[in-house]
């Protein structure tokens, strides 16, 4: 092969958080440029999240890409490669492809199947494309990775069920109430998990949120965050009849909602169902109320159990997903073997197009301003199709040689020299259509398929530990981007 | 009416394929099969509608006295309600029951073949039509709510006992949807049932000179009506909902079916479909 692919990186398994902090890449663009400046490196892309950094490079055969990349990366972070290499994994060629597919499909994530990583890779790829640091191989690899990730998501149940306590609670609420519109939730006491659940409920479209707290000021503050209303602790019971979902997490040593209160409340509500989520220890809500009709009570242990079951289920689905990844990586190998030809084809075609466009511009200038748009369009189509047709036969010839002979190198080399392709700079917009395709792909992967909070890969622990790992999650009320909380500004993995 | 027979067979075939494909699609989780099954059932339903219209138009008097016609009509009204509910509530899972049920009723209408009701010729059309139409619509609603009620009870039990909803149960709609169907069956079904009952008595008064003749079916109907009325009161006035109403609708529906099939075929009654 003419080119080699190399992927080096570190993640939550190979490096502790201190190391990940040291080698996090804030400015991926600078690192990509640093890499491309090294001799023999043709393409580069960097993905950096709080749980992983992946540096992907493509270079001429014979260059020790892994070393070049490690040196550039360590240099970028103001460190020496000696500090970095013990924590690195290195994948070459097909192994690199396989690894990238795994990462994009979230098989390599801390929380298996969490959806954020795909978005983060898409973002990194877009930045790299805008930076002009990707070409044929990386483009193809990433596009394949996105489609593999989509296949995994639709064909396996890897992202199907909630793996965080707060999200599991919201899923249950949806099972009971269906549509969240017109429903009201009440937060009793403030805690990270309760706030996270409230944020989930809000993005599910709940109509109103009431907040009750022993310190009224805190209630007011929380209510403001969720654009809800604060309720004083004393009037808690009188407000309950208008509430459908109760999330309780106070530090009270005794139960604050008793079964006989709930009976009375139900009568006032004309038996409309109520869902109580008790995430306090010791429990805030009398467990007996679960035996009342139209009342559902889940405590922290119930929710934990659901989450654990779902996680186990994801493990099972991961095996299926791994098969898909293997299959697709195998397909990619075919493409790789015919790869040497691809850049030449692209270069050749864009060379022709450039000539055609240049000539078109000249002609149009000569024709003056009276040319109608239709004529202009027709002229453009004409010159472009001539330029393509001219190269058709040579391309067929090259493709046939590539297929029939072990190495079509000499012909490819000949073509490159004939058309002077290696001197001519590749036009800046050579990847333009590919970017468009990527964005279209984005939309296909609708958000509703994704569990926007289920992942929490960045929380630094299993999701059951959500509150502990998120000491000061700034839960903002506006949607999925809200509780990015814990790990902070440089995105989530 | 050989032509009608051929069309009947075609409708039965469509219902059969529709039911099989639909249920298989639901079990295998294939959306395309689900839709294809529903489309076949819908096709059969269209032809069924046509046949019923033709029969009514061509032989208005005689068809009304044929029992197979009533079974066919019952199958038709079940499907009509199923399609309406599907459209309004997007409660597609109803197809799992509606399509096979319609098939069974339609097939039984075909096998019953032409036995006559012992109807006197003096048919007071309006009341008789009301009697049949309103009752069948109510039974259709009850059937749907009965199935929804069963689903409600199972899912509610699972949620209460914190059992995991997996596989097929995960694809079912939320509890609130089932309860909505129950509400519909109670708030619309009970008035229809009442209307059907009253018009029947009025018609009997016209035709037989006696409004109430202690026929086993009439007694059963009164009993069911009382139960239904209690359910209606509890649901609409007191605000019962959920598990209790789901159970009651299942009871009302079960008794209705039992009275329709059991009494009609086993006990001497002037509602019998046998000649």
């Amino acid at each position: 092969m003419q080119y080699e692919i190399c992927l080096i990186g570190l993640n939550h398994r190979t490096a502790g958080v201190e190391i990940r902090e040291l080698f996090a890449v804030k400015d991926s663009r600078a690192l990509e440029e640093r890499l491309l400046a090294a001799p023999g490196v043709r393409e580069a892309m960097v993905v950096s999240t709080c749980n992983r950094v992946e540096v992907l490079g493509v270079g001429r055969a014979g260059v020790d890409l892994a070393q070049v990349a490690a040196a550039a990366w360590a240099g970028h972070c103001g460190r020496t490669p000696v500090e970095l290499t013990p924590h690195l994994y290195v994948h070459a060629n097909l192994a690199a492809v396989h690894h990238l597919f795994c990462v994009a499909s979230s098989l390599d994530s801390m929380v298996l199947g969490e959806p954020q990583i795909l978005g983060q890779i898409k973002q990194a790829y877009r930045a790299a494309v805008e930076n002009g640091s990707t070409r044929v191989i990386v483009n193809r690899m990433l596009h394949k990775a996105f489609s593999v990730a989509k296949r995994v998501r639709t064909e396996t149940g890897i992202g199907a069920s909630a793996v965080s306590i707060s999200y599991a609670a919201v899923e249950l609420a949806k099972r009971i109430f269906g549509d969240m519109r017109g429903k009201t939730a009440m937060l009793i006491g403030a805690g990270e998990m309760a706030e996270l659940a409230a944020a989930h409920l809000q993005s599910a479209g709940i109509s109103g949120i009431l907040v009750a707290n022993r310190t009224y000021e805190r209630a007011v503050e929380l209510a403001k965050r969720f654009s809800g209303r604060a309720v004083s602790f004393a009037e808690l019971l009188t407000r309950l009849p208008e509430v459908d979902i109760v999330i309780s997490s106070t530090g009270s040593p005794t139960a604050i909602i008793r079964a006989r209160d709930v009976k009375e409340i139900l009568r006032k509500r004309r038996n409309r169902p109520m869902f109580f989520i008790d995430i306090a220890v010791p429990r805030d809500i009398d467990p007996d109320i679960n035996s009342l009709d139209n009342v559902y009570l889940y405590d922290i242990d119930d929710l934990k159990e659901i989450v654990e079951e779902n996680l186990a289920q994801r493990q099972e689905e991961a095996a299926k997903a791994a098969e898909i990844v293997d299959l697709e990586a195998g397909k990619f190998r075919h493409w790789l073997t015919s790869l040497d030809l691809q850049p030449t084809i692209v270069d050749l075609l864009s060379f022709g197009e450039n000539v055609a466009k240049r000539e078109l511009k000249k002609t149009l200038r000569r024709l003056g301003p009276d040319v109608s748009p239709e004529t202009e369009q027709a002229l453009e189509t004409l010159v472009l199709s001539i330029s393509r047709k001219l190269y058709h036969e040579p391309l067929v010839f090259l493709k046939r040689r590539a297929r029939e002979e072990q190495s079509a190198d000499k012909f490819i080399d000949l073509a490159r020299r004939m058309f002077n392709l290696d001197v001519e700079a590749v036009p800046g917009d050579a990847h333009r259509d590919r970017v468009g395709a990527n964005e279209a792909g984005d939309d296909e992967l609708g958000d509703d398929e994704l569990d926007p909070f289920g992942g929490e890969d960045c929380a630094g622990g299993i999701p059951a530990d959500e509150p502990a790992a998120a000491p000061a999650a700034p839960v903002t009320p506006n949607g999925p981007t809200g509780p990015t909380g814990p790990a902070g500004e440089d995105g989530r993995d | 009416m050989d032509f009608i027979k051929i069309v009947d067979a075609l409708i039965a075939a469509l219902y059969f394929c529709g039911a099989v494909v639909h249920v298989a699609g639901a079990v295998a989780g294939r959306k395309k099969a689900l839709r294809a099954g529903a489309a076949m059932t819908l096709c059969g339903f269209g032809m069924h509608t046509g046949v019923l219209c033709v029969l009514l138009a061509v032989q208005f008097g005689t068809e009304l006295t044929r029992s197979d016609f009533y079974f066919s009509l019952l199958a038709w009204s079940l499907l009509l309600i199923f399609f309406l509910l599907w459209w309004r509530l997007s409660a597609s899972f109803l197809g799992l029951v509606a399509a096979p049920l319609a098939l069974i009723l339609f097939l039984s209408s075909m096998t019953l073949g032409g036995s006559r009701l012992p109807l006197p010729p003096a048919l007071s059309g309006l009341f008789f039509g009301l009697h049949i139409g309103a009752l069948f619509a109510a039974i259709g609603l009850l059937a749907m709510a009965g199935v929804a009620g069963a689903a409600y009870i199972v899912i509610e039990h699972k949620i209460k006992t914190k059992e995991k909803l997996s596989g097929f149960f995960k694809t079912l709609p939320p509890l609130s949807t089932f309860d909505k169907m129950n509400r519909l069956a109670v708030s619309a079904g009970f008035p229809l049932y009442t209307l059907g009952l009253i018009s029947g008595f009025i018609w009997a008064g016209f035709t037989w000179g006696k409004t109430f003749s202690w026929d086993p079916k009439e007694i059963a109907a009164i009993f069911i009506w009382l139960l239904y009325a209690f359910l209606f009161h509890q649901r609409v006035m007191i605000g019962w909902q959920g598990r209790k109403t789901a159970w009651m609708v299942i009871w009302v529906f079960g008794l209705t079916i039992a009275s329709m099939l059991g009494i009609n075929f086993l006990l001497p009654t002037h509602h019998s479909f046998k000649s």
Side-chain angles (χ1 to χ4, degrees), chain A residues 353-367 371 375-384:
Chain A
E353 275 177 24
N354 283 347
V355 173
K357 278 187 183 150
R358 224 168 24 234
E359 293 307 312
L360 176 70
K361 218 179 251 173
K362 273 190 214 158
T363 310
L364 284 176
R365 210 181 299 135
R366 210 171 308 135
L367 285 174
V371 184
T375 318
E376 208 178 312
Q377 187 66 45
L379 274 176
E380 192 179 340
T381 316
L382 174 74
V383 291
L384 286 181

Side-chain angles (χ1 to χ4, degrees), chain A residues 62-116:
Chain A
V63 177
D64 188 352
L65 265 177
Q67 208 169 7
V68 170
W73 181 1
H76 175 81
C77 298
R79 299 270 149 184
T80 58
V82 184
E83 289 173 274
L84 178 60
T85 40
H87 308 285
L88 284 185
Y89 44 83
V90 177
H91 299 291
N93 295 324
L94 268 183
V97 175
H98 193 273
H99 178 77
L100 181 72
F101 287 4
C102 277
V103 173
S105 312
S106 193
L107 296 179
D108 197 47
S109 299
M110 187 183 271
V111 176
L112 203 59
E114 55 86 20
Q116 284 95 347

Side-chain angles (χ1 to χ4, degrees), chain A residues 160-161 174-178 270-273 290-298 302 309-310 313, chain B residues 152 156 158-160 162 164-165 169-170 172-176 235-244:
Chain A
S161 38
K174 282 190 195 152
R175 285 250 66 123
I176 296 167
F177 297 106
R270 291 173 58 86
N271 294 310
R272 275 179 296 127
N290 195 42
S291 60
L292 295 172
D293 259 357
N294 297 314
V295 175
Y296 307 90
L297 168 69
Y298 273 68
D302 301 330
E309 270 178 49
N310 288 349
Q313 195 194 343
Chain B
Y152 183 99
E156 200 247 18
K158 279 182 185 279
I159 293 181
K160 275 263 186 198
K162 279 112 197 194
K164 192 171 154 61
L165 291 166
F169 288 105
K170 232 180 161 175
L172 290 181
L175 283 181
S176 54
R235 167 113 220 178
V236 177
M237 302 298 164
I238 309 287
W240 271 19
Q241 59 168 290
R243 205 165 54 90
K244 276 186 213 152

